[in-house]
């Protein structure tokens, strides 16, 4: 890599690292894994950087690599890495309801299949259009609609169940 390309890559990483890390965190639900995901994505990007400069799609390319790497990681998870059931922890309600809601959303996202999760994150967090999301995921717009619809349906169901459980805790407290 030449000095000019080094400077371009450094500028890109400085400008986009935070956004990539947030997206990666939403995809995998773990800060350490998100950092690994971004690092792997950026390593793959550096290899093809000179070719990317001839096109305008650097952000799309990097997002696509991020999502594809996440989906591949989820598919290759060995049997011994399968998560066991969730521990049911009782959490006291506090005045910071927003924190609880973000945590509930993060846990609900964690329960979605990888492609549904990717579609929901790209559409509603990254605010990509259906066409752009389809481009990043490498699928049709209809598939994006289906994945997003099923993902949102699952999230809504989990939200309603969490509200019902919280109401029940309040009644028995």
């Amino acid at each position: 890599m030449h000095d000019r390309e080094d400077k371009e890559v450094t500028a890109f990483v400085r400008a986009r690292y935070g956004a990539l890390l947030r997206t990666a965190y939403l995809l995998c639900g773990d800060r350490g894994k998100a950092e690994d995901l971004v690092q792997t994505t950026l390593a793959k990007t550096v290899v093809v950087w000179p070719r990317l400069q001839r096109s305008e799609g650097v952000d799309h390319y990097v997002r696509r690599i991020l999502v594809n790497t996440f989906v591949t990681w989820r598919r290759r998870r060995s049997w011994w890495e399968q998560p066991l059931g969730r521990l049911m922890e009782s959490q006291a309600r506090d005045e910071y309801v927003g924190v609880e809601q973000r945590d509930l959303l993060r846990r609900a996202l964690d329960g979605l299949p990888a492609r549904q999760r990717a579609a929901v994150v790209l559409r509603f967090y990254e605010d990509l259009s259906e066409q752009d999301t389809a481009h990043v995921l490498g699928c049709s717009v209809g598939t994006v609609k289906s994945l997003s619809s099923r993902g949102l349906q699952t999230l809504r169901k989990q939200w309603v169940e969490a509200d019902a459980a919280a109401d029940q805790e309040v009644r028995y407290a």
Side-chain angles (χ1 to χ4, degrees), residues 143-154:
T143 301
V144 168
K145 289 179 181 181
S146 176
L147 290 169
S148 298
S149 175
R150 281 185 263 149
L152 289 175
Q153 182 179 14
T154 301

Side-chain angles (χ1 to χ4, degrees), residues 18-32:
L20 289 170
L21 184 60
R22 286 187 296 274
T23 301
Y25 178 79
L26 288 172
L27 288 171
C28 60
D30 178 85
R31 171 84 182 194

